[in-house]
Amino acid sequence: MGTYLGGRIDMVKGDITLQDTEAIVNAADNKLLGGGGVDGAIHTAGGPKILEECRRIGGCPTGEARITTGGRLKARYVIHTVGPVYRYGSKVVADLLAAAYRNSLKLASDNGIKRVAFSSISTGIYGYPIEEAAPIAIEAVDDYLDLHDDIELVRFVLFNDRDYTVYGELLGV
Ligand code: AR6
């Protein structure tokens, strides 16, 4: 693992809909038709254009990612990824969570996006404990950045104090 803060990985506490990175990453579900949690917040803040584009895309398998514009958001794009529903001790589920991060970054690279903000995929309604999800997320991002120079910044956006503390310990804040 490399040097984090001050390097290309950053973290903030707050609302992802307010981020001004070129893309924000949504924790969506397979249908891509909106929902609760961060997904609901992004569709509410971004407006109906995002949902229209999601309908046209027609869904997304778990661990993969799809891109739409950002509608009324500051971010120009929304990358919608689908994390796994947590299952205790499952390697398959851990691999799917890592894939969600990796495939979101790959889609950013494919679209020339250099600054990406992630919500904490699967750690809300999908039940992934933050202590287990955070190291997987950080390692997947770190591995991707090691191999790809094009992405300048990955920002983890944590919505509550507890998640922020867990990430802070791992990132050495
Ligand atoms: N900004 C940043 N993070 C947020 C925000 C926000 N505005 N709102 C919530 N979070 P969740 P999941 C955090 O449940 O577990 C949806 O209905 C939240 O505290 O949004 O991947 C989808 O349609 C948590 O840490 O996503 C799916 O059906 C994190 O975002 C399902 O939920 C993710 O929680 C996906 O569940």
Side-chain angles (χ1 to χ4, degrees):
M1 297 244 207
T3 306
Y4 293 123
L5 301 182
R8 291 191 287 155
I9 296 181
D10 185 14
M11 61 181 270
V12 297
K13 200 176 84 182
D15 182 345
I16 198 158
T17 65
L18 304 176
Q19 295 298 313
D20 61 1
T21 45
E22 287 164 88
I24 62 173
V25 182
N26 181 21
D29 76 355
N30 293 123
K31 292 191 177 133
L32 295 189
L33 293 179
V38 71
D39 197 7
I42 287 171
H43 281 286
T44 300
K49 191 159 181 293
I50 300 176
L51 192 57
E52 228 171 79
E53 290 179 51
C54 281
R55 278 218 179 84
R56 242 177 279 138
I57 292 168
C60 178
T62 304
E64 294 190 18
R66 301 289 185 267
I67 192 165
T68 66
T69 58
R72 294 194 297 253
L73 295 168
K74 280 186 195 160
R76 196 160 160 215
Y77 298 99
V78 177
I79 294 172
H80 306 262
T81 192
V82 183
V85 175
Y86 180 66
R87 219 157 21 106
Y88 177 78
S90 167
K91 168 93 166 65
V92 172
V93 161
D95 288 347
L96 284 170
L97 185 61
Y101 282 89
R102 194 171 54 244
N103 286 323
S104 296
L105 288 174
K106 185 170 182 308
L107 202 48
S109 290
D110 290 348
N111 286 275
I113 295 164
K114 297 185 182 313
R115 294 162 53 87
V116 182
F118 274 93
S119 53
S120 179
I121 312 299
S122 286
T123 65
I125 292 163
Y126 282 179
Y128 222 115
I130 190 76
E131 294 81 2
E132 288 183 43
I136 293 169
I138 292 168
E139 190 183 347
V141 167
D142 196 38
D143 286 351
Y144 188 90
L145 293 181
D146 270 351
L147 297 173
H148 300 85
D149 287 342
D150 56 312
I151 305 283
E152 290 170 2
L153 178 75
V154 173
R155 175 176 295 154
F156 293 108
V157 181
L158 291 323
F159 202 51
N160 60 53
D161 286 331
R162 201 174 118 66
D163 294 356
Y164 186 79
T165 303
V166 171
Y167 266 80
E169 277 166 12
L170 291 166
L171 293 175
V173 180

PDB file of all heavy atoms in Angstrom, residues 14-16 27-29 34-39 41 120-126 157 159-160 163, ligand 1:
ATOM      1  N   GLY A  14     -19.056  13.637   4.304  1.00  0.00           N
ATOM      2  CA  GLY A  14     -20.075  14.501   3.720  1.00  0.00           C
ATOM      3  C   GLY A  14     -20.987  13.802   2.744  1.00  0.00           C
ATOM      4  O   GLY A  14     -21.047  12.575   2.684  1.00  0.00           O
ATOM      5  N   ASP A  15     -21.655  14.649   1.966  1.00  0.00           N
ATOM      6  CA  ASP A  15     -22.698  14.209   1.042  1.00  0.00           C
ATOM      7  C   ASP A  15     -22.096  14.124  -0.359  1.00  0.00           C
ATOM      8  O   ASP A  15     -21.599  15.126  -0.886  1.00  0.00           O
ATOM      9  CB  ASP A  15     -23.821  15.258   1.091  1.00  0.00           C
ATOM     10  CG  ASP A  15     -24.991  14.898   0.216  1.00  0.00           C
ATOM     11  OD1 ASP A  15     -24.867  14.016  -0.654  1.00  0.00           O
ATOM     12  OD2 ASP A  15     -26.040  15.532   0.403  1.00  0.00           O
ATOM     13  N   ILE A  16     -22.193  12.966  -0.983  1.00  0.00           N
ATOM     14  CA  ILE A  16     -21.534  12.788  -2.288  1.00  0.00           C
ATOM     15  C   ILE A  16     -22.198  13.627  -3.383  1.00  0.00           C
ATOM     16  O   ILE A  16     -21.552  13.982  -4.361  1.00  0.00           O
ATOM     17  CB  ILE A  16     -21.473  11.299  -2.698  1.00  0.00           C
ATOM     18  CG1 ILE A  16     -20.432  11.104  -3.793  1.00  0.00           C
ATOM     19  CG2 ILE A  16     -22.837  10.771  -3.104  1.00  0.00           C
ATOM     20  CD1 ILE A  16     -19.911   9.720  -3.932  1.00  0.00           C
ATOM     21  N   ALA A  27     -23.927   3.844  -5.382  1.00  0.00           N
ATOM     22  CA  ALA A  27     -24.161   2.461  -4.954  1.00  0.00           C
ATOM     23  C   ALA A  27     -25.569   2.079  -5.385  1.00  0.00           C
ATOM     24  O   ALA A  27     -26.529   2.298  -4.650  1.00  0.00           O
ATOM     25  CB  ALA A  27     -24.008   2.351  -3.436  1.00  0.00           C
ATOM     26  N   ALA A  28     -25.681   1.532  -6.584  1.00  0.00           N
ATOM     27  CA  ALA A  28     -26.992   1.268  -7.194  1.00  0.00           C
ATOM     28  C   ALA A  28     -27.423  -0.178  -6.970  1.00  0.00           C
ATOM     29  O   ALA A  28     -26.748  -0.936  -6.277  1.00  0.00           O
ATOM     30  CB  ALA A  28     -26.900   1.578  -8.689  1.00  0.00           C
ATOM     31  N   ASP A  29     -28.563  -0.550  -7.567  1.00  0.00           N
ATOM     32  CA  ASP A  29     -28.926  -1.970  -7.578  1.00  0.00           C
ATOM     33  C   ASP A  29     -28.998  -2.449  -9.031  1.00  0.00           C
ATOM     34  O   ASP A  29     -28.810  -1.663  -9.957  1.00  0.00           O
ATOM     35  CB  ASP A  29     -30.216  -2.242  -6.801  1.00  0.00           C
ATOM     36  CG  ASP A  29     -31.465  -1.822  -7.557  1.00  0.00           C
ATOM     37  OD1 ASP A  29     -31.349  -1.223  -8.648  1.00  0.00           O
ATOM     38  OD2 ASP A  29     -32.558  -2.087  -7.055  1.00  0.00           O
ATOM     39  N   GLY A  34     -32.989   3.509  -9.406  1.00  0.00           N
ATOM     40  CA  GLY A  34     -33.062   4.334  -8.199  1.00  0.00           C
ATOM     41  C   GLY A  34     -33.418   3.477  -7.002  1.00  0.00           C
ATOM     42  O   GLY A  34     -33.609   2.264  -7.109  1.00  0.00           O
ATOM     43  N   GLY A  35     -33.473   4.098  -5.839  1.00  0.00           N
ATOM     44  CA  GLY A  35     -33.772   3.348  -4.616  1.00  0.00           C
ATOM     45  C   GLY A  35     -33.602   4.255  -3.426  1.00  0.00           C
ATOM     46  O   GLY A  35     -33.810   5.462  -3.523  1.00  0.00           O
ATOM     47  N   GLY A  36     -33.193   3.674  -2.305  1.00  0.00           N
ATOM     48  CA  GLY A  36     -32.977   4.476  -1.104  1.00  0.00           C
ATOM     49  C   GLY A  36     -31.520   4.872  -0.986  1.00  0.00           C
ATOM     50  O   GLY A  36     -30.790   4.886  -1.978  1.00  0.00           O
ATOM     51  N   GLY A  37     -31.092   5.198   0.220  1.00  0.00           N
ATOM     52  CA  GLY A  37     -29.682   5.483   0.505  1.00  0.00           C
ATOM     53  C   GLY A  37     -29.071   6.506  -0.436  1.00  0.00           C
ATOM     54  O   GLY A  37     -29.722   7.478  -0.852  1.00  0.00           O
ATOM     55  N   VAL A  38     -27.828   6.277  -0.778  1.00  0.00           N
ATOM     56  CA  VAL A  38     -27.101   7.232  -1.617  1.00  0.00           C
ATOM     57  C   VAL A  38     -27.700   7.287  -3.025  1.00  0.00           C
ATOM     58  O   VAL A  38     -27.707   8.332  -3.671  1.00  0.00           O
ATOM     59  CB  VAL A  38     -25.585   6.903  -1.604  1.00  0.00           C
ATOM     60  CG1 VAL A  38     -25.261   5.646  -2.352  1.00  0.00           C
ATOM     61  CG2 VAL A  38     -24.786   8.071  -2.136  1.00  0.00           C
ATOM     62  N   ASP A  39     -28.213   6.163  -3.485  1.00  0.00           N
ATOM     63  CA  ASP A  39     -28.861   6.080  -4.803  1.00  0.00           C
ATOM     64  C   ASP A  39     -30.027   7.072  -4.867  1.00  0.00           C
ATOM     65  O   ASP A  39     -30.134   7.882  -5.817  1.00  0.00           O
ATOM     66  CB  ASP A  39     -29.358   4.637  -4.989  1.00  0.00           C
ATOM     67  CG  ASP A  39     -29.683   4.279  -6.423  1.00  0.00           C
ATOM     68  OD1 ASP A  39     -29.407   5.094  -7.316  1.00  0.00           O
ATOM     69  OD2 ASP A  39     -30.221   3.174  -6.641  1.00  0.00           O
ATOM     70  N   ALA A  41     -30.504   9.659  -2.966  1.00  0.00           N
ATOM     71  CA  ALA A  41     -29.988  11.037  -2.830  1.00  0.00           C
ATOM     72  C   ALA A  41     -29.448  11.553  -4.166  1.00  0.00           C
ATOM     73  O   ALA A  41     -29.679  12.717  -4.536  1.00  0.00           O
ATOM     74  CB  ALA A  41     -28.903  11.080  -1.755  1.00  0.00           C
ATOM     75  N   SER A 120     -19.575   4.773  -0.188  1.00  0.00           N
ATOM     76  CA  SER A 120     -19.119   3.519   0.420  1.00  0.00           C
ATOM     77  C   SER A 120     -20.043   2.383  -0.031  1.00  0.00           C
ATOM     78  O   SER A 120     -21.108   2.155   0.547  1.00  0.00           O
ATOM     79  CB  SER A 120     -19.113   3.673   1.943  1.00  0.00           C
ATOM     80  OG  SER A 120     -18.711   2.470   2.537  1.00  0.00           O
ATOM     81  N   ILE A 121     -19.609   1.697  -1.087  1.00  0.00           N
ATOM     82  CA  ILE A 121     -20.450   0.704  -1.762  1.00  0.00           C
ATOM     83  C   ILE A 121     -20.799  -0.456  -0.820  1.00  0.00           C
ATOM     84  O   ILE A 121     -19.898  -0.990  -0.139  1.00  0.00           O
ATOM     85  CB  ILE A 121     -19.712   0.140  -3.010  1.00  0.00           C
ATOM     86  CG1 ILE A 121     -19.115   1.249  -3.891  1.00  0.00           C
ATOM     87  CG2 ILE A 121     -20.624  -0.788  -3.816  1.00  0.00           C
ATOM     88  CD1 ILE A 121     -20.079   2.225  -4.463  1.00  0.00           C
ATOM     89  N   SER A 122     -22.046  -0.823  -0.791  1.00  0.00           N
ATOM     90  CA  SER A 122     -22.580  -2.015  -0.073  1.00  0.00           C
ATOM     91  C   SER A 122     -22.650  -1.892   1.447  1.00  0.00           C
ATOM     92  O   SER A 122     -23.102  -2.826   2.104  1.00  0.00           O
ATOM     93  CB  SER A 122     -21.769  -3.288  -0.402  1.00  0.00           C
ATOM     94  OG  SER A 122     -22.057  -3.767  -1.689  1.00  0.00           O
ATOM     95  N   THR A 123     -22.201  -0.776   2.020  1.00  0.00           N
ATOM     96  CA  THR A 123     -22.133  -0.733   3.495  1.00  0.00           C
ATOM     97  C   THR A 123     -23.373  -0.123   4.156  1.00  0.00           C
ATOM     98  O   THR A 123     -23.376   0.104   5.359  1.00  0.00           O
ATOM     99  CB  THR A 123     -20.878   0.034   3.982  1.00  0.00           C
ATOM    100  OG1 THR A 123     -20.989   1.402   3.592  1.00  0.00           O
ATOM    101  CG2 THR A 123     -19.611  -0.569   3.435  1.00  0.00           C
ATOM    102  N   GLY A 124     -24.409   0.106   3.362  1.00  0.00           N
ATOM    103  CA  GLY A 124     -25.667   0.602   3.933  1.00  0.00           C
ATOM    104  C   GLY A 124     -26.706  -0.507   3.897  1.00  0.00           C
ATOM    105  O   GLY A 124     -26.604  -1.497   4.621  1.00  0.00           O
ATOM    106  N   ILE A 125     -27.668  -0.360   3.014  1.00  0.00           N
ATOM    107  CA  ILE A 125     -28.770  -1.327   2.886  1.00  0.00           C
ATOM    108  C   ILE A 125     -28.236  -2.741   2.598  1.00  0.00           C
ATOM    109  O   ILE A 125     -28.805  -3.726   3.068  1.00  0.00           O
ATOM    110  CB  ILE A 125     -29.729  -0.843   1.770  1.00  0.00           C
ATOM    111  CG1 ILE A 125     -30.442   0.440   2.228  1.00  0.00           C
ATOM    112  CG2 ILE A 125     -30.751  -1.921   1.412  1.00  0.00           C
ATOM    113  CD1 ILE A 125     -31.081   1.247   1.123  1.00  0.00           C
ATOM    114  N   TYR A 126     -27.140  -2.863   1.874  1.00  0.00           N
ATOM    115  CA  TYR A 126     -26.595  -4.181   1.528  1.00  0.00           C
ATOM    116  C   TYR A 126     -25.784  -4.826   2.663  1.00  0.00           C
ATOM    117  O   TYR A 126     -25.303  -5.954   2.523  1.00  0.00           O
ATOM    118  CB  TYR A 126     -25.778  -4.119   0.239  1.00  0.00           C
ATOM    119  CG  TYR A 126     -26.641  -4.080  -1.010  1.00  0.00           C
ATOM    120  CD1 TYR A 126     -26.067  -4.000  -2.284  1.00  0.00           C
ATOM    121  CD2 TYR A 126     -28.032  -4.126  -0.933  1.00  0.00           C
ATOM    122  CE1 TYR A 126     -26.856  -3.977  -3.435  1.00  0.00           C
ATOM    123  CE2 TYR A 126     -28.826  -4.084  -2.080  1.00  0.00           C
ATOM    124  CZ  TYR A 126     -28.231  -4.018  -3.322  1.00  0.00           C
ATOM    125  OH  TYR A 126     -29.013  -3.990  -4.460  1.00  0.00           O
ATOM    126  N   VAL A 157     -15.931   9.277  -0.011  1.00  0.00           N
ATOM    127  CA  VAL A 157     -16.855  10.181   0.684  1.00  0.00           C
ATOM    128  C   VAL A 157     -17.625   9.367   1.720  1.00  0.00           C
ATOM    129  O   VAL A 157     -18.399   8.468   1.374  1.00  0.00           O
ATOM    130  CB  VAL A 157     -17.827  10.846  -0.312  1.00  0.00           C
ATOM    131  CG1 VAL A 157     -18.767  11.788   0.417  1.00  0.00           C
ATOM    132  CG2 VAL A 157     -17.046  11.590  -1.395  1.00  0.00           C
ATOM    133  N   PHE A 159     -20.213   9.093   4.920  1.00  0.00           N
ATOM    134  CA  PHE A 159     -21.428   9.822   5.284  1.00  0.00           C
ATOM    135  C   PHE A 159     -21.585  10.002   6.784  1.00  0.00           C
ATOM    136  O   PHE A 159     -22.349  10.844   7.223  1.00  0.00           O
ATOM    137  CB  PHE A 159     -22.636   9.081   4.703  1.00  0.00           C
ATOM    138  CG  PHE A 159     -23.859   9.914   4.538  1.00  0.00           C
ATOM    139  CD1 PHE A 159     -23.799  11.122   3.873  1.00  0.00           C
ATOM    140  CD2 PHE A 159     -25.083   9.482   5.021  1.00  0.00           C
ATOM    141  CE1 PHE A 159     -24.928  11.902   3.700  1.00  0.00           C
ATOM    142  CE2 PHE A 159     -26.224  10.245   4.853  1.00  0.00           C
ATOM    143  CZ  PHE A 159     -26.149  11.458   4.189  1.00  0.00           C
ATOM    144  N   ASN A 160     -20.904   9.214   7.569  1.00  0.00           N
ATOM    145  CA  ASN A 160     -21.054   9.365   9.029  1.00  0.00           C
ATOM    146  C   ASN A 160     -19.701   9.257   9.737  1.00  0.00           C
ATOM    147  O   ASN A 160     -18.706   8.811   9.154  1.00  0.00           O
ATOM    148  CB  ASN A 160     -22.074   8.361   9.581  1.00  0.00           C
ATOM    149  CG  ASN A 160     -21.661   6.936   9.304  1.00  0.00           C
ATOM    150  OD1 ASN A 160     -20.544   6.538   9.628  1.00  0.00           O
ATOM    151  ND2 ASN A 160     -22.540   6.156   8.706  1.00  0.00           N
ATOM    152  N   ASP A 163     -17.848   5.675   9.869  1.00  0.00           N
ATOM    153  CA  ASP A 163     -17.208   5.269   8.614  1.00  0.00           C
ATOM    154  C   ASP A 163     -15.950   6.109   8.373  1.00  0.00           C
ATOM    155  O   ASP A 163     -14.917   5.603   7.929  1.00  0.00           O
ATOM    156  CB  ASP A 163     -18.172   5.452   7.430  1.00  0.00           C
ATOM    157  CG  ASP A 163     -19.366   4.519   7.513  1.00  0.00           C
ATOM    158  OD1 ASP A 163     -19.411   3.675   8.432  1.00  0.00           O
ATOM    159  OD2 ASP A 163     -20.266   4.640   6.653  1.00  0.00           O
TER     160      ASP A 163
HETATM  161  N1  AR6 B   1     -23.657  10.808   0.398  1.00  0.00           N
HETATM  162  C1  AR6 B   1     -22.693   9.906   0.681  1.00  0.00           C
HETATM  163  N2  AR6 B   1     -22.946   8.716   1.250  1.00  0.00           N
HETATM  164  C2  AR6 B   1     -24.240   8.424   1.533  1.00  0.00           C
HETATM  165  C3  AR6 B   1     -25.305   9.312   1.256  1.00  0.00           C
HETATM  166  C4  AR6 B   1     -24.963  10.557   0.653  1.00  0.00           C
HETATM  167  N3  AR6 B   1     -25.894  11.461   0.326  1.00  0.00           N
HETATM  168  N4  AR6 B   1     -26.464   8.708   1.649  1.00  0.00           N
HETATM  169  C5  AR6 B   1     -26.141   7.514   2.181  1.00  0.00           C
HETATM  170  N5  AR6 B   1     -24.793   7.339   2.117  1.00  0.00           N
HETATM  171  P1  AR6 B   1     -26.531   2.516   0.592  1.00  0.00           P
HETATM  172  P2  AR6 B   1     -25.717  -0.105  -0.504  1.00  0.00           P
HETATM  173  C6  AR6 B   1     -23.974   6.197   2.540  1.00  0.00           C
HETATM  174  O1  AR6 B   1     -27.559   1.863   1.439  1.00  0.00           O
HETATM  175  O2  AR6 B   1     -25.442  -0.626   0.862  1.00  0.00           O
HETATM  176  C7  AR6 B   1     -30.178   1.530  -2.629  1.00  0.00           C
HETATM  177  O3  AR6 B   1     -31.543   1.472  -2.379  1.00  0.00           O
HETATM  178  C8  AR6 B   1     -24.544   5.264   3.563  1.00  0.00           C
HETATM  179  O4  AR6 B   1     -24.398   5.787   4.874  1.00  0.00           O
HETATM  180  O5  AR6 B   1     -26.886   3.766  -0.116  1.00  0.00           O
HETATM  181  O6  AR6 B   1     -24.719  -0.375  -1.595  1.00  0.00           O
HETATM  182  C9  AR6 B   1     -29.803   0.938  -3.972  1.00  0.00           C
HETATM  183  O7  AR6 B   1     -30.814   1.153  -4.953  1.00  0.00           O
HETATM  184  C10 AR6 B   1     -23.649   4.042   3.339  1.00  0.00           C
HETATM  185  O8  AR6 B   1     -22.431   4.198   4.057  1.00  0.00           O
HETATM  186  O9  AR6 B   1     -25.943   1.493  -0.543  1.00  0.00           O
HETATM  187  C11 AR6 B   1     -29.646  -0.518  -3.648  1.00  0.00           C
HETATM  188  O10 AR6 B   1     -30.886  -1.194  -3.636  1.00  0.00           O
HETATM  189  C12 AR6 B   1     -23.325   4.090   1.861  1.00  0.00           C
HETATM  190  O11 AR6 B   1     -23.756   5.376   1.423  1.00  0.00           O
HETATM  191  C13 AR6 B   1     -29.088  -0.511  -2.251  1.00  0.00           C
HETATM  192  O12 AR6 B   1     -29.519   0.708  -1.670  1.00  0.00           O
HETATM  193  C14 AR6 B   1     -23.996   3.035   1.028  1.00  0.00           C
HETATM  194  O13 AR6 B   1     -25.279   2.769   1.531  1.00  0.00           O
HETATM  195  C15 AR6 B   1     -27.572  -0.526  -2.254  1.00  0.00           C
HETATM  196  O14 AR6 B   1     -27.125  -0.676  -0.937  1.00  0.00           O
END
